[in-house]
Amino acid sequence: MMPAFFIAHGAPLLAIEENEYTQFLTELGKTWRKPRAIILFSAHWTSKEQQVSDVEEYSTIYDFGGFPEALYRIQYPAKGNHKLAEEIGALLSKEGISYKVDTSRGLDHGAWVILRKLYPEADIPVISMSVNPLLTPEEQYRIGQSLSALRKEEVMIIGSGGTVHNLAAVNMMKDNGTADEWALGFDEWLARRVNSWDLDSLFQYDSLAPLASYAVPPYGNEHFIPLFYAMGAADDERTAALLHRSYRYGNLSHSVWQFGS
């Protein structure tokens, strides 16, 4: 059985930085036995209908600008897995979830930044999947839930985003590891509900969590919702563990949650 994870991908600079968080991700990749394949829901691939990638080998997407040249030279040539893509499609169809197959899109930085830290050899097949910010949390959870059986087939499921992600609030001059009180308050509320698997509260986070509209701006909830896809994938166990939490720039959270065993 493979766990599901929610992993914050932070800023693109993580790809070339060495710090507490990048070191944690590197060690996390060594902790678990290698999965047979990885399914990754990325905050940077949004669509109104579920997208499932089915490519032979991924290109690397540089979906950012104004960063050091070294970032644009990184390649992460992970391969896809046609059989697994078909299996995902069958599971979605079984639950009445409509989807489309994408045969050309590469891996965006929400995917390759963390995958490169976890598995730098790019030797594990990847199926990239989109997220839909227009769905309800219940619907997002259900999509992850539909894929939960794949964890028994040594498939790791990852939701990549960030629990607190408000670019209008970050302070690039504040990089001493301390967290703004409002960001910490939101994350602590979230941790209590996730640890108790309190779906009723989590599905109403936008009205119940302190300063939710600041931590998860309505225009930017695509970074938060991968949490629901990842949790849904472990609905059969409903166990959660916060493996890491740190902050950059005052409030950009680097949280890693493990769901299931």
Side-chain angles (χ1 to χ4, degrees), residues 6 9 43 131 133 137 140 159-165 186-187 189-191 194 201-206 209 212 215-217 220-231 253 257:
F6 174 83
H9 59 252
V131 298
Q140 294 153 356
S160 171
T163 57
V164 179
H165 189 275
F186 176 84
D187 266 344
W189 179 94
L190 180 66
V194 171
S201 295
L202 288 169
F203 290 165
Q204 300 178 74
Y205 78 91
D206 53 346
V216 185
N221 70 338
E222 75 284 341
H223 276 75
F224 183 76
I225 61 175
L227 179 77
F228 295 129
Y229 292 86
M231 286 189 74
S253 66
W257 282 94

Side-chain angles (χ1 to χ4, degrees), residues 77-123:
K79 298 190 183 316
N81 184 311
H82 177 68
K83 183 178 179 181
L84 179 57
E86 287 189 326
E87 191 171 357
I88 290 169
L91 290 170
L92 292 172
S93 295
K94 182 180 178 181
E95 296 300 320
I97 299 168
S98 64
Y99 71 96
K100 290 182 178 178
V101 175
D102 183 283
T103 59
S104 61
R105 191 178 188 275
L107 292 178
D108 58 66
H109 84 271
W112 63 259
V113 166
I114 61 174
L115 289 176
R116 186 168 175 267
K117 294 296 182 183
L118 292 169
Y119 303 109
E121 300 302 318
D123 55 354

